[in-house]
Amino acid sequence: MPLSLILNDRAVPRSKVGDISPLPPAVAVVYPVEGRPFEVETVRTFGQRVFGGSRPCYVVDLSDHRRQAAVTRTPLTCRDGGHRFRATIDVGFRVHDPALVVSRNVRDALAVVYGYLTDRIRITAAQFAITQALAAQLRINQELDREIPLPEGVTIYYCKIQMEPDEAAARHIQELAEAERRASLGVHAHERRIGEVRSDEQVKDIVEDGRRRRQADERKVLDGRRIDIEELIREHLVRHPEETGQALEMLARVRDAEVARHELRDERHADMVKYLIERGVVREVDLPGLRAGVLGADGPGTGVSGVLERPDAGRQPGLPAGGPVVADAHGGAP
């Protein structure tokens, strides 16, 4: 709604000023003078009161005015040019030069005041990103924190601007904030996962170090001991007593394998001795010495020992056991 600071549409006689209703507490009477500047009545003299009643004049409102309005028609684009701010203006103004108001025929003071403020807000808004509404508000309020005389004879004595993104920009900012929040959560989750993996690896390293240390201790203990399959099975039973059945079965298979291996060896030795006797390489009288050399003094009486320990080993064939040996004419054995 327009606000006219000139209370009468056309000049009226000075004597009719009182008929203008309602008059504000503070007014100024402006007389147009042909060929000269406008005269503003401040203090009426006696002659003016007696003879000036018929002079045409304008009555100008000098009181203070406060208004609030939202900037809707002028787009307040931000720095990127793709989003807009929304501004609310709280302004106070008054007339400082009634002659200028009349000479410029200011019929709507709001258009003058809002036009100036909107232009200043638009210039400032273009310097900030859409996410910097508070910074833009602070800047424009600092610029307008003073009395601002306008060339139309009106002074802005108070002004506060509130700026915020419009609905589309607010949705854009909300989406950006949500994306940043998800990215931040992803970073925290990634760091937590890395920490868990590092902790697991450290635990594994500790376990592996302990295992290697125990193995080293076991090796030191076993360095001076004779290790065979039976000893290994015994150590296994100490650590895993619940596997006694499997261990005994394994031990039986090992002993069967050893018996088979010894029998095979003895058979080979027996075949070898028989072959040597048949070829005349070894005589029967040599069998006791051969037995001692092959089997040793305490060798078992199986396999090759069965051949080397024949009852008639070392005696002449056809003589009873324990009978005398008769030498031939040449003193040699038959």
Side-chain angles (χ1 to χ4, degrees):
M1 183 177 181
L3 174 64
S4 178
L5 299 176
I6 303 174
L7 302 182
N8 51 310
D9 295 337
R10 61 183 182 277
V12 298
R14 178 66 179 82
S15 59
K16 300 294 184 180
V17 171
D19 297 338
I20 302 174
S21 180
L23 284 177
V27 295
V29 179
V30 179
Y31 298 97
V33 180
E34 186 176 356
R36 290 187 299 171
F38 288 86
E39 295 179 0
V40 179
E41 181 183 292
T42 54
V43 179
R44 294 189 70 195
T45 64
F46 176 77
Q48 288 175 331
R49 289 196 298 271
V50 173
F51 301 105
S54 60
R55 292 183 65 185
C57 64
Y58 292 93
V59 181
V60 179
D61 186 359
L62 298 182
S63 59
D64 292 350
H65 297 273
R66 287 287 296 271
R67 292 292 187 276
Q68 290 184 351
V71 181
T72 56
R73 296 183 180 179
T74 303
L76 304 177
T77 56
C78 66
R79 186 168 56 197
D80 61 13
H83 299 90
R84 298 181 180 182
F85 291 106
R86 182 169 52 191
T88 302
I89 301 175
D90 183 7
V91 62
F93 57 91
R94 69 171 71 96
V95 174
H96 71 270
D97 192 339
L100 281 176
V101 172
V102 174
S103 65
R104 290 178 176 263
N105 194 26
V106 179
R107 296 296 178 176
D108 187 5
L110 297 179
V112 173
V113 172
Y114 288 153
Y116 172 81
L117 294 178
T118 301
D119 185 64
R120 298 305 308 165
I121 295 172
R122 181 178 59 82
I123 294 174
T124 303
Q127 302 174 12
F128 292 87
I130 193 61
T131 56
Q132 298 175 319
L134 186 61
Q137 172 181 309
L138 180 62
R139 173 73 66 79
I140 190 63
N141 284 332
Q142 288 176 346
E143 293 179 0
L144 300 178
D145 189 19
R146 58 188 175 87
E147 288 193 352
I148 305 173
L150 302 180
E152 290 80 4
V154 179
T155 294
I156 299 174
Y157 67 87
Y158 172 84
C159 183
K160 291 297 180 183
I161 309 296
Q162 181 179 354
M163 297 187 66
E164 58 185 5
D166 63 4
E167 295 180 358
R171 288 194 300 270
H172 172 69
I173 294 174
Q174 185 177 3
E175 292 173 357
L176 289 178
E178 183 65 20
E180 291 180 358
R181 187 184 69 85
R182 289 195 300 268
S184 178
L185 290 177
V187 170
H188 288 303
H190 178 69
E191 292 178 351
R192 184 178 66 253
R193 178 57 180 162
I194 290 177
E196 292 175 354
V197 172
R198 287 178 177 172
S199 178
D200 293 342
E201 291 299 322
Q202 290 175 356
V203 171
K204 292 179 181 178
D205 292 342
I206 294 173
V207 173
E208 185 65 20
D209 290 341
R211 186 186 64 81
R212 286 195 294 265
R213 185 175 60 255
R214 288 190 296 271
Q215 288 181 347
D217 294 339
E218 291 176 356
R219 292 193 187 97
K220 291 180 181 178
V221 172
L222 297 176
D223 280 345
R225 298 176 57 183
R226 175 177 173 271
I227 302 298
D228 54 14
I229 189 66
E230 294 184 3
E231 184 67 20
L232 292 177
I233 293 177
R234 186 178 297 108
E235 290 292 335
H236 180 77
L237 286 176
V238 171
R239 300 183 183 182
H240 305 282
E242 70 280 0
E243 299 180 1
T244 302
Q246 296 88 328
L248 292 177
E249 182 180 355
M250 184 184 301
L251 181 60
R253 289 200 301 266
V254 170
R255 289 182 174 176
D256 291 341
E258 288 183 353
V259 171
R261 186 171 64 252
H262 286 305
E263 290 178 352
L264 178 60
R265 182 195 61 185
D266 291 346
E267 289 177 1
R268 291 179 178 176
H269 288 175
D271 293 339
M272 179 187 67
V273 172
K274 289 179 180 180
Y275 175 79
L276 294 177
I277 294 174
E278 291 173 357
R279 293 295 180 178
V281 178
V282 176
R283 296 176 302 172
E284 291 186 3
V285 294
D286 299 327
L287 293 181
L290 183 60
R291 173 189 177 280
V294 173
L295 299 180
D298 298 329
T302 60
V304 67
S305 63
V307 177
L308 299 180
E309 292 181 346
R310 290 174 50 185
D312 56 351
R315 291 178 303 182
Q316 295 180 3
L319 294 178
V325 179
V326 179
D328 59 3
H330 300 285

